[in-house]
Amino acid sequence: MNPWRSVTWTTLLAAAVLMPGSPGTAVAADIIKFGISTPLSGPAAPWGIPHKNATELIFDEINGQGGLEIGGKKYKLEVVAYDHKYVIAEGVATVNRLIAKDGVKYISVLGGAVVKANEEPVNENGVLNLPLAYAEGLVSPKNPLTFHSFPSPPETTTFWKWIKEHQPQIKRVATISPNDDTGWWSIKVETAFVEKLGYQMAGKEFFERSMTDFNPVLLRILAQKPDIISVLASPAGSVGLIIKQARELGFKGRFIHIGQVDTSVVANIAGKANVEGMWVHGYVQSPLPEKVKSWQARYTKKYGEWNATSIDFTNPAFAFVAAVKKAQSLDPKKIGEAMRTVEFDNLWGKAHFGGKDYYGVGNQIIYPMPFSEVKDGVATLVVQLSPPHN
Amino acid sequence: MTPDLLIQSTIIGLSIGSIYILMALGLTLMFGMMHIINFAHGAIYMLGAFAIYYIFSQWGVPYFAAFVLAMLLLGTFGYLVERSIYRPIKGGIEPTLVALLALTTFLQAAGYPVFGQLDKHVPPVFQGTRNVLGVMISVERLMIIPMAGALVVGLYLFINKTKMGAAMRAIEQDKEAAALQGVNVHVVNGLAFAIGFALAAASGALMAPIFKLDPMMGEQPLLKAFIIIILGGLGSIPGAILGGLMLGLIDSIVATALGAEPAFLLSFVFIILLLLFKPTGLFGYAPP
């Protein structure tokens, strides 16, 4: 046989076996691919890395038990993750790649501006999306297969009621937030809520995510003499610089972040003493319930370094697994229908998707949300609150 | 705006402007001599900051020694870039521009696997705040002004009072004539690369304890440096100094008075207006 012909046939045969979806790949058919588009580098990486890690760890544990059973057949779960660096163009490119190239039907995208930019491809391709993102109109009847898997400002602002009751001396509130969909909507919701509670808005500023020198913005804010500064929707790196620079300019009041932020990353930048007394949602270091402690042990065993942000970022994986089990189908629409009725356990208790009264569609995750205060450098749980809508 | 706020924002503007000057000086020096725009300047700023992170913060070398080491290291790197990229290309403007862009992309992309994906932070070198004219300013910010000032004076003396500086000025005026007079153009170009890179590294090293560190941190300062050298006049060192101060003050005072977005827009409007009336910038001159 001509040696070149032999090589050609061998190559063709190998290509046929390796090509995804080819008749020879029985193994590929037993895998459920779950796409993740998240910032794995850049200022928002402290959110993106635990997002990917938490999903992978939960899937590993299910795979370790033989996989996810659907209609009597076991499926392995696989994460396909891409870094979008919190850049909208990269976010659109990675989601398109997940859908078109990787053939993924279920995704979780982090970042409000990125999720908003991907609404069209997600809806047109009938993809189930479990985002971790803040953006106006994200949870809406026009996005029927988007199930927001993290408490948003309409849920977390309820903590301001707790502040009103426990710290009545706080009167004047200033906000500083990123200059994008996420920041605008977060501040809009928070401002409406705190004004309704009788607080005075002492300043409202937006910043570009690439900003590192916050002095001019802070000088404007501090001139209005706020008692507390909300840094809602800002990533940990920016929050660290805001706090450090505000303290240098003489601000003595508190900071609050009712989105989610890793206060240990913030303290590394701002200095431990400067972060003292900060209130934060979704980040708890102590005391941890048994379930969370067990998660911490498993996470640390696999990834070496503990990241408390991973606690709440398990939600997309928990919700997806619960809904697929209930739907007993791989059809995103059927999984979406199951998502609206399934109740499942996350690391803080019972969770479900609801909020129809507020959003017009029951696609917002609801569970007892944890709020902490930084005491002696440790994010200490002060209260768990249910959202104002169910 | 209250008088206190004006004083505070002016001092902060001078501090920011000092960093801008250092960034722009290296850039304008290289342009003046070789007519190349060093797109890698932002990446070198980033490397200067990371050099401080490792040498000072991780290995415990005293800050000032680490600062000098960072400048020497990146200066040497600049000399090697001249030898390995600029010289083989034979000074072609466009090929050098593309090669330096490629170097930038490589350094930024390599930054994530080498330095890690999470932001890094250098502990403060100068702690606390000082009352200056009745307003609070962080000592870190204040210290930037004399340190950058010392480097600017050092560069001025080097260029105007040394033989090598005279050679640099000669090349800037006429490369061929300088070569005919016995100036080793390759060596002087290498030195210009080394000084340019060392100044960018100094800016990064000064900012490292104030801001957070990530591989893309040089993009914003690079943009500012471009604005400054256009404002001051391409290749003009006094122009870079004046332009840096003006932009620092605009960034601080206008941003405090009107917000960050108007300040950013205003700096561009200011440049467009200036270039309409003086297309060569404040101290630039049209080539013969």
Side-chain angles (χ1 to χ4, degrees):
Chain A
M1 195 186 207
N2 180 338
W4 283 110
R5 189 174 292 179
S6 165
V7 170
T8 309
W9 277 110
T10 310
T11 311
L12 282 173
L13 190 66
V17 171
L18 294 172
M19 199 164 66
S22 69
T25 54
V27 174
D30 295 339
I31 290 175
I32 298 174
K33 286 185 183 175
F34 188 88
I36 287 186
S37 171
T38 201
L40 297 172
S41 58
W47 286 329
I49 293 167
H51 177 207
K52 173 180 168 276
N53 288 354
T55 312
E56 277 179 349
L57 182 50
I58 290 170
F59 286 1
D60 280 357
E61 290 174 355
I62 289 167
N63 290 340
Q65 294 155 14
L68 192 59
E69 194 170 322
I70 303 161
K73 190 176 170 184
K74 292 266 190 180
Y75 289 83
K76 296 275 183 192
L77 294 160
E78 182 187 300
V79 169
V80 184
Y82 293 120
D83 178 14
H84 68 47
K85 303 178 179 71
Y86 220 107
V87 173
I88 295 175
E90 298 264 355
V92 172
T94 53
V95 169
N96 280 332
R97 191 170 175 192
L98 283 169
I99 297 171
K101 183 175 170 286
D102 299 310
V104 168
K105 291 177 184 170
Y106 330 101
I107 60 171
S108 179
V109 183
L110 191 147
V114 179
V115 178
K116 285 295 280 180
N118 277 304
E119 276 182 341
E120 204 176 297
V122 165
N123 290 337
E124 276 182 3
N125 290 286
V127 172
L128 182 83
N129 188 10
L130 293 144
L132 301 168
Y134 291 174
E136 187 161 25
L138 180 64
V139 181
S140 139
K142 69 183 172 67
N143 296 327
L145 291 181
T146 295
F147 291 84
H148 189 234
S149 303
F150 190 69
S152 300
E155 289 80 51
T156 57
T157 41
T158 198
F159 185 59
W160 280 101
K161 272 189 187 171
W162 183 91
I163 296 173
K164 186 93 181 160
E165 285 166 24
H166 293 81
Q167 301 283 337
Q169 76 283 6
I170 292 173
K171 308 267 186 221
R172 294 173 65 78
V173 181
T175 63
I176 175 163
S177 203
N179 192 15
D180 56 25
D181 268 357
T182 306
W184 301 329
W185 181 60
S186 302
I187 293 306
K188 186 175 150 187
V189 172
E190 188 177 47
T191 303
F193 197 85
V194 297
E195 281 182 338
K196 212 167 141 187
L197 287 174
Y199 287 103
Q200 275 180 286
M201 286 309 292
K204 198 189 289 183
E205 294 290 334
F206 295 97
F207 65 89
E208 296 306 320
R209 285 188 185 269
S210 58
M211 185 182 271
T212 48
D213 190 358
F214 292 91
N215 268 248
V217 170
L218 286 167
L219 283 175
R220 284 167 65 79
I221 282 184
L222 299 186
Q224 304 305 316
K225 307 209 179 310
D227 299 317
I228 186 167
I229 297 176
S230 167
V231 287
L232 181 52
S234 308
S238 303
V239 174
L241 290 176
I242 291 169
I243 294 178
K244 181 179 184 238
Q245 292 170 25
R247 296 290 188 222
E248 285 169 356
L249 292 171
F251 180 64
K252 303 261 187 267
R254 281 187 195 251
F255 290 91
I256 180 170
H257 193 310
I258 53 163
Q260 201 281 342
V261 79
D262 182 332
T263 55
S264 61
V265 174
V266 173
N268 279 340
I269 297 169
K272 193 178 152 190
N274 287 337
V275 182
E276 202 61 14
M278 182 181 184
W279 283 312
V280 61
H281 158 256
Y283 185 83
V284 181
Q285 291 173 299
S286 175
L288 293 177
E290 282 308 313
K291 217 169 161 184
V292 181
K293 270 188 194 163
S294 159
W295 169 256
Q296 182 182 25
R298 280 140 53 206
Y299 189 97
T300 312
K301 191 179 168 192
K302 179 162 186 193
Y303 299 107
E305 194 180 359
W306 169 235
N307 188 320
T309 300
S310 70
I311 300 170
D312 289 73
F313 285 9
T314 53
N315 290 335
F318 279 137
F320 177 70
V321 169
V324 171
K325 274 184 187 168
K326 182 165 187 184
Q328 284 298 298
S329 166
L330 290 173
D331 178 1
K333 270 189 188 168
K334 287 187 178 160
I335 299 171
E337 281 163 21
M339 200 78 81
R340 289 197 186 90
T341 53
V342 73
E343 189 181 56
F344 56 96
D345 287 316
N346 75 355
L347 294 175
W348 293 112
K350 293 282 176 201
H352 68 277
F353 283 89
K356 194 173 179 182
D357 293 347
Y358 184 87
Y359 295 102
V361 66
N363 288 16
Q364 169 61 47
I365 200 164
I366 306 286
Y367 62 89
M369 304 168 294
F371 294 90
S372 313
E373 180 177 329
V374 178
K375 293 177 182 171
D376 293 327
V378 176
T380 308
L381 184 68
V382 288
V383 66
Q384 271 188 268
L385 298 171
S386 291
H389 39 260
N390 196 39
Chain B
M1 188 188 258
T2 63
D4 279 357
L5 217 50
L6 184 65
I7 295 169
Q8 216 165 6
S9 57
T10 303
I11 297 170
I12 289 166
L14 289 174
S15 162
I16 299 169
S18 303
I19 290 296
Y20 290 170
I21 290 170
L22 285 187
M23 278 294 280
L25 274 181
L27 209 58
T28 210
L29 182 78
M30 291 170 74
F31 183 86
M33 283 186 60
M34 292 163 277
H35 300 286
I36 54 162
I37 294 175
N38 180 19
F39 278 105
H41 221 63
I44 305 306
Y45 168 93
M46 174 269 289
L47 290 179
F50 273 102
I52 282 292
Y53 172 76
Y54 286 106
I55 302 171
F56 164 66
S57 176
Q58 300 295 303
W59 304 334
V61 175
Y63 179 75
F64 286 105
F67 185 84
V68 173
L69 262 174
M71 284 184 72
L72 283 174
L73 274 173
L74 273 305
T76 309
F77 181 57
Y79 184 75
L80 293 175
V81 168
E82 194 277 338
R83 286 293 304 263
S84 56
I85 297 177
Y86 180 75
R87 207 179 295 183
I89 289 171
K90 295 186 173 55
I93 293 174
E94 292 87 359
T96 309
L97 205 118
V98 174
L100 290 172
L101 255 177
L103 179 68
T104 308
T105 310
F106 170 76
L107 293 174
Q108 287 177 338
Y112 287 109
V114 175
F115 304 134
Q117 291 164 324
L118 296 181
D119 295 340
K120 298 282 183 293
H121 181 66
V122 174
V125 181
F126 308 103
Q127 304 263 7
T129 53
R130 287 281 177 280
N131 190 319
V132 181
L133 302 170
V135 295
M136 299 306 286
I137 301 285
S138 88
V139 182
E140 269 180 343
R141 298 259 173 173
L142 284 173
M143 285 306 292
I144 288 175
I145 301 171
M147 285 184 73
L151 285 169
V152 171
V153 171
L155 181 71
Y156 174 84
L157 292 175
F158 177 79
I159 288 178
N160 290 291
K161 304 285 179 193
T162 67
K163 206 173 166 184
M164 199 56 98
M168 280 181 159
R169 282 182 284 133
I171 291 176
E172 193 181 346
Q173 285 169 19
D174 192 326
K175 191 167 77 176
E176 280 75 25
L180 286 171
Q181 293 297 314
V183 173
N184 187 334
V185 177
H186 287 318
V187 169
V188 180
N189 280 347
L191 189 69
F193 258 89
I195 293 174
F197 275 43
L199 286 172
S203 312
L206 276 176
M207 296 316 278
I210 295 175
F211 297 146
K212 61 191 170 65
L213 278 58
D214 72 82
M216 306 302 283
M217 66 183 285
E219 286 194 336
Q220 197 82 355
L222 179 68
L223 178 69
K224 297 287 184 188
F226 279 144
I227 296 174
I228 291 161
I229 61 167
I230 293 167
L231 184 68
L234 286 165
S236 164
I237 289 178
I241 295 171
L242 187 63
L245 281 179
M246 285 169 77
L247 195 67
L249 291 171
I250 289 175
D251 272 7
S252 182
I253 298 172
V254 179
T256 303
L258 305 172
E261 288 291 302
F264 189 66
L265 280 176
L266 196 78
S267 57
F268 282 100
V269 170
F270 183 64
I271 284 175
I272 291 166
L273 286 175
L274 181 93
L275 294 181
L276 278 176
F277 295 101
K278 200 161 185 326
T280 54
L282 289 171
F283 292 96
Y285 55 88

